[in-house]
Structures are given as C-alpha cells and as structure tokens.
Amino acid sequence: MSGVGAIFRFHLGVGVRLASHAAAPLVGVAVAWVGLQEFPGAVLAAIAQGLVAPGVDPATRWIFAAFLLALATWAAPRVTTGLAGWIRHLPASGTSHRRAALLALVASQLPALVACALLAAGLVAFGQAVSIARLAAIPLVALGAATVALPVRRRALTSALGAASIFLALSPGWLTLGAAAALLLAADRLSGPLAAPSRMRRRRGSARRPILAVISWRAVGLRAVPALAPALLVLGFAALFLANNPVTPAVASGAVRFGGLLAVAILMSGIAAELSVRRPVWPWARSLPWSSSRRVAADALFLALPALPLVAVAAALDPRAAIAVLLATPLLALRAASALRRAQRLRIGALGVVLIEGFVVAGLAGLVPWGGLLFAAAAPLALRAAARAERELPVSRWIAIHHAAAGDSLSWSAK
Amino acid sequence: MIRLRGARFAYGAGDPILDGVDLDLGEGLTLLLGPNGCGKSTLLRVAAGVEMPGAGRVELGGHDLWGDEVAARRDLAYVPEQPDLTPYATLLEILTLVCRLRGAPLDRAAAALETVGLPRLGSRSVRELSMGQRRRAVLAAAMIGVPKIVLLDEPLETLDRAMRDEVLAWVRSLLAASATVVVVTHDIEPFAASAVRAVTVRAGRAVVHDPLPADPAARMALLEAMARGTSAPAR
C-alpha cells in the first residue's frame, strides 16, 4: 500500500470510530423523536421526500446540511488533535495529512449519510421518484461541511468556499452541482496546510484579569460563533411560527419561551463541546485557593454571557417571554458547567448532556408560564450539584475503567 | 545526515528560539544539551519536520524536509517528549500506519508493542492511555523498520530500569548500523561514552563540540558544562 493510501486508511478509521461514537445517541434521539410522532411512517416519508425527491420544499435539505455541518464541527477538533505533532515526522506530505483529515470528517458524518441512504432506498422500494441530482448532492454537502470545519491555514477562505459549495449543492440542477464540486476543488487547492495550534504566545498584564475566563476565552474564542447559527435558526423558526399562525398571546409567549431556551441550550452545548475538548476541566486548579463553587460559577458565567444576545432576540419577539428565558439561563449555564465535569464519563459528552437537559427545560418553560421563576429558584441547587461534580471529578484524564496498570511505569496500581 | 542552514523559528510573534542555526550532524550519537527553555526540543522538532522553520532550510539525507516531504522523512524516526498522538486512533492502528509508511511487515507492530511492554494494549485508543504508556507507544513506533535518522527527546524519562536498558540497547544497535542518532537529554551518563559530538543552543544559535574529548573526565566536564549552560567546563 502506498504512503498516501496508508494515511487515508488510518484517518478513515479515526473518522469511522468518531461516527460510531456519535451514532448511538443520534440514533436514540431520532428513534425517540420519530416514535413520538402521530404518524411515524408519514414523517419518515416526508423527510425522505424532502431530502431526495424532486420538486419538494428545500427546508429539509437545509436542516440536513446544518446537521452535517454540526457533526463535522464536532468531529474536527477530535480528528485534528495531534496532526501537527508527532505524526508529521512520518513519510507523508502535509497535503496527504490534510486530505485524509478531510476524509475523516466526511466519515464522521456517516450516521446521517447512512440514514439518508436508507430513506432514499425506502422511497425507491415504495415506488416513489428519487432525484439523482439531489442524491448526488448529498456527498458534496458532506464534503462541503468537512471543508468548512477543517482547521487549515486559510480557514476563512476555505470556509467561505465550503459554505458556498453547500449552498450550490442544495440548489436544483446539475450545473450547480458542478459548480459546487469546482468550489470544493478550489478550496482544496487554496487551503494551505493544516493549521498548527498556537503555542506560547506572550500575554501581558494577565495577573489582573479574571484568569479562568481568560483561559476559557483563549481555548474557545470565536469557535463559539458556529454554534450561534443553529441557535438563531431556532429563534427564526419561532418568529416564523408567530408570523404565520393566528395564535393566542399565551401560546405565542410559550413558543418564544421554548424557542428562546432551546436556542440558549444549543449555543451553550456548542461552547461546552469546545471547552471539553480544548480546555478540559483542570483538576490541578483544585490545589489553588479557589472554591469549587467559584470554579464552576466561572464556567457558568462564561457559558451564559454569550447567550445574552439570544435573550435580546427573544425580547424582540415577546418581552415577557424573554424574562422567563433570562431567569432560566443561569440554571442552564450551571447544568452545562456540571456537564463539563461529567463529560468524560458520559458517552454523549457535554454537548449531548446540555442539549438533552436544555430540551427538557425549554419544554417545561414553554408549557408552564411561571417556569422561569421555578428555574431561577433551582439555580442555587444546580450550583451545589455542579460544585459537587467538580469535587468528584476524577483526576486522571484517561478512562480509569479501561486503564490497565500493567506496562505503565507511572502506575502505582501495578504494584 | 541532518543539515540546517539559516534555520529560524519562533512561536507566534515572540522572540526567535532558533535564530539562523547552521548545523551538520552526521553518523553517530549527537547529544543535544542545555538548560530548560534554551531551544533543544524546538531544534529537534524542527529537524523532525514537526515544526516548519520561519526561514532557512532543513535537509535530511540530502532531501529538503519541506520541499521533498516524503523522501526526506522516509528514514526518520522521532520520539517526542510529549507524545501528542491522535486521540481517537488505537495503538495498533498507529503502529500499523508506521509499518506501512516505512515498508515494514505489519506483524512488526505487535512485536514492537511486545518490546515496549504493551502487548495487551493494542486495541486501546490513545485517549485511554496514561502518559507513560503513550511514551512507550512512540518508542515502539520508532523501533519499527530500519530508520537511519533517529531523533529522541528525553528517551529515558519516566521509564523503569528494564525499559531504560531496552532503549539503550536499541540505541547501541542503531549506532552499530551507522545511523544518525540525536538525543536531547538531561541524563548524560548513559550516553556520554558513545557520543561523538555534542550540541547546545545559545541565544538562538547552535554551538557544536565535535569531536568530544577522548579523556572520560574531560568529556564529562564538557558535557556537564553544556547541560548547565555554563561557558567553561564545570569543576
């Protein structure tokens, strides 16, 4: 096997492993959601038609593309960690590593791609029409999502080209598909090597800054911005719902409470996912003169502040509902800070925990008008629980249950 | 042969760690010594093709490291101090990749794991391993194939005595096969007798002592002074 083939095979394996990690919670949520519908078969058929049938409203395809992008964004730091290090000394070019990492990001989207293929096969089995152009667009969208998510030296350029290729691939016609493919080729040519992690930058005057927030900001920075897109999309759906349906003020307020808190939860889940990878919780900080409550509160504040613009958008839709969203935000932030402490022991990670808990809180807030007060009152309890999770956090970064002491010269348990 | 010409490297916009390094390292054991933070590991990372110099040229075996990437790295093995491996790959996947890239039989992967005392951990992903196990894994990767240029950053650190003996025996076998071996270490004694030259980094430049004194006492005094970053041999 050639060197390029070996590198591709290696990264493909990493991507498939990530896909298998993502598959279990995704399949579980999808099965539960479809199962809860009144007519599950009809819902599946509508999704399948929206994805690959000719002449159907593009909304389903856009949501699917956003989902693929979320998967690729989740996988990107997991695939690229270490690619700028030891592995670069092996006899393979930087271009091979970059392309193989791109392949791994496509592979990480396999749960969604396989589901799409199964839905298309279902349509064919039931004798319904399938658009070949729409089917061909799916891999291009996956490649576009991977291109957007891959950290390369000219990230802004390749992200723009990747996003434009997704837009073109989702537009009808073979010509636009060809244009999408051309943009992806251009992105490949212009991307430059994989971006190296920034190290040892000099910082001055950090002694007076809130150091925990500064460290979190360095770790996440503008990487939180992509999580803003699906959050705003949810609020957009809430606005469309209000604009297109004659609903009572109570229902309208409930919709904004639900949409607003779901948007906040989505944004927090994205930031928490970045934090859990790029700035894992730091057990050594326990040796410093800070309380566990302070460490947790610092994370919660870091997670809550970026959500304030979403509360402002909710206020534009319904000011009273926005107050409920604002009151429930500290609880969500504290639960997210707690999830960061539990992430390494949970298969679904911090992202999954925050999303599930956020969905429950948003659902309750949508149904119960005074739910905001209840959630505000629950915040101190959440702080206590999060501080306990912080204190009980295992110090070892590897998964202790799988760790074999044999062969590890640093392990006291081998004796 | 490792050749650096005018190699310059800085982390971000900071002061350069390497500022126009000219260096030729041939066959035999080279010790790369100096106090913490002087640039030893950075020099090794630049020579390994892990960091790209901001200016200058690095050649391995006559091939430009960044112009002819694959050929230059063909006979290279590098053991970093911090083994930054892809977290979601298994040990066996990593070692199999190394076998394929170095043209070694695939069963060498399992044999290398056996050598470093990790025979049962092949199916574990990197994130499930302790730092000590990761260091053994990169040592196992370096032992695959017949590398002609071997760069070792603190190769004995965190190893137990049996494993240290294993690594020292491997280094001796590399030297017997006329390989170019560069070792960054604060642990001079195990390597002092077989070293043919020593290098340190001072103010961003490489200072080379080639050959080393034949007298063991003078040699140790010189190496000790270089390791401490003092200009004169320590008394």
Side-chain angles (χ1 to χ4, degrees):
Chain A
M1 180 181 283
S2 72
V4 176
I7 285 284
F8 271 64
R9 184 172 166 161
F10 173 74
H11 285 291
L12 186 63
V14 171
V16 169
R17 182 163 297 111
L18 277 172
S20 73
H21 278 259
L26 288 179
V27 169
V29 170
V31 168
W33 182 74
V34 172
L36 287 172
Q37 303 302 309
E38 193 173 358
F39 302 107
V43 169
L44 284 178
I47 294 172
Q49 284 169 347
L51 285 175
V52 291
V56 181
D57 182 31
T60 310
R61 292 195 294 281
W62 279 107
I63 292 170
F64 184 71
F67 187 60
L68 290 185
L69 189 57
L71 271 178
T73 306
W74 167 79
R78 290 161 174 83
V79 166
T80 54
T81 299
L83 289 194
W86 170 85
I87 203 167
R88 282 296 285 122
H89 93 281
L90 295 174
S93 68
T95 308
S96 300
H97 281 294
R98 175 175 54 76
R99 287 179 178 155
L102 194 73
L103 180 70
L105 291 188
V106 173
S108 70
Q109 303 166 50
L110 273 177
L113 297 175
V114 169
C116 181
L118 289 175
L119 288 171
L123 274 189
V124 173
F126 282 97
Q128 297 197 35
V130 170
S131 163
I132 302 298
R134 295 234 161 115
L135 211 52
I138 300 294
L140 284 179
V141 173
L143 202 54
T147 303
V148 171
L150 190 69
V152 289
R153 187 173 292 167
R154 298 191 193 102
R155 177 84 184 266
L157 177 65
T158 53
S159 290
L161 289 170
S165 76
I166 292 173
F167 178 80
L168 287 172
L170 292 177
S171 307
W174 287 101
L175 198 62
T176 53
L177 280 189
L183 285 184
L184 289 172
L185 282 175
D188 178 65
R189 289 277 172 190
L190 300 171
S191 66
L194 283 167
S198 54
R199 279 189 293 259
M200 295 175 68
R201 286 187 189 151
R202 288 186 172 192
R203 308 279 175 177
R204 289 190 176 85
S206 61
R208 289 187 179 180
R209 297 185 211 165
I211 189 69
L212 293 175
V214 169
I215 291 169
S216 301
W217 172 251
R218 280 183 200 154
V220 176
L222 296 177
R223 290 176 189 87
V225 173
L228 204 55
L232 287 171
L233 201 64
V234 169
L235 279 171
F237 283 139
L240 284 174
F241 173 74
L242 296 183
N244 294 304
N245 294 285
V247 292
T248 63
V251 172
S253 185
V256 174
R257 287 195 301 273
F258 176 73
L261 278 172
L262 193 57
V264 168
I266 289 170
L267 178 65
M268 283 183 186
S269 68
I271 299 173
E274 284 290 341
L275 276 178
S276 66
V277 172
R278 301 184 60 82
R279 195 233 58 185
V281 178
W282 198 19
W284 176 77
R286 289 174 186 167
S287 67
L288 301 175
W290 292 326
S291 68
S292 51
S293 298
R294 176 177 168 170
R295 290 193 294 273
V296 167
D299 276 356
L301 194 64
F302 185 78
L303 288 156
L305 285 177
L308 291 181
L310 297 176
V311 180
V313 174
L317 297 175
D318 186 329
R320 287 185 65 185
I323 292 172
V325 174
L326 190 62
L327 286 173
T329 296
L331 176 72
L332 283 181
L334 286 163
R335 292 303 301 162
S338 170
L340 280 172
R341 272 78 189 165
R342 293 173 287 138
Q344 60 176 265
R345 283 174 283 171
L346 300 169
R347 196 171 177 83
I348 55 176
L351 185 142
V353 173
V354 177
L355 271 183
I356 291 170
E357 292 185 354
F359 189 80
V360 171
V361 169
L364 286 173
L367 292 172
V368 184
W370 43 267
L373 289 173
L374 190 70
F375 294 134
L381 294 176
L383 177 62
R384 282 184 62 184
R388 191 170 61 244
E390 159 78 20
R391 288 193 293 270
E392 291 172 357
L393 180 74
V395 173
S396 308
R397 286 197 57 199
W398 68 90
I399 301 169
I401 197 167
H402 293 313
H403 171 64
D408 179 8
S409 56
L410 295 180
S411 171
W412 53 267
S413 59
K415 296 184 176 74
Chain B
M1 165 72 101
I2 303 169
R3 172 172 293 162
L4 285 85
R5 286 289 174 271
R8 192 175 186 285
F9 183 84
Y11 289 103
D15 296 332
I17 308 293
L18 306 178
D19 194 4
V21 170
D22 294 317
L23 192 60
D24 291 290
L25 300 176
E27 276 179 24
L29 176 61
T30 303
L31 292 182
L32 187 43
L33 306 172
N36 294 139
C38 75
K40 307 180 298 293
S41 293
T42 301
L43 178 55
L44 208 67
R45 288 170 69 83
V46 167
V50 173
E51 299 284 9
M52 188 177 181
R57 184 180 168 91
V58 184
E59 286 179 17
L60 297 186
H63 299 280
D64 182 351
L65 195 50
W66 294 98
D68 196 359
E69 291 181 81
V70 177
R73 290 165 169 84
R74 185 81 66 198
D75 297 317
L76 172 67
Y78 167 56
V79 174
E81 188 182 13
Q82 299 291 332
D84 46 356
L85 301 168
T86 308
Y88 282 82
T90 66
L91 268 190
L92 214 49
E93 282 174 344
I94 290 172
L95 296 186
T96 305
L97 170 71
V98 175
C99 287
R100 289 197 170 109
L101 292 176
R102 295 213 183 115
L106 295 187
D107 57 5
R108 278 292 299 135
L113 279 179
E114 183 89 37
T115 307
V116 298
L118 305 176
R120 290 181 291 121
L121 301 188
S123 59
R124 297 278 169 84
S125 66
V126 168
R127 66 200 186 109
E128 293 171 332
L129 302 176
S130 73
M131 195 55 76
Q133 288 168 333
R134 292 179 201 195
R135 281 190 59 81
R136 285 173 182 238
V138 288
L139 271 169
M143 290 173 176
I144 289 171
V146 192
K148 295 195 178 82
I149 298 172
V150 181
L151 309 176
L152 307 173
D153 198 345
E154 297 289 359
L156 304 182
E157 198 176 86
T158 77
L159 300 181
D160 57 34
R161 299 193 75 82
M163 193 62 217
R164 282 167 67 102
D165 292 345
E166 191 79 49
V167 170
L168 290 171
W170 172 59
V171 169
R172 280 194 295 273
S173 72
L174 288 169
L175 295 174
S178 305
T180 299
V181 181
V182 183
V183 175
V184 171
T185 187
H186 293 288
D187 200 359
I188 304 169
E189 286 79 5
F191 299 104
S194 44
V196 294
R197 69 187 74 80
V199 179
T200 190
V201 180
R202 243 177 240 160
R205 301 291 178 108
V207 180
V208 184
H209 287 270
D210 188 3
L212 291 171
D215 173 51
R219 168 182 290 233
M220 274 309 292
L222 174 65
L223 295 178
E224 187 73 31
M226 291 176 79
R228 289 173 184 272
T230 52
S231 51
R235 288 176 202 170

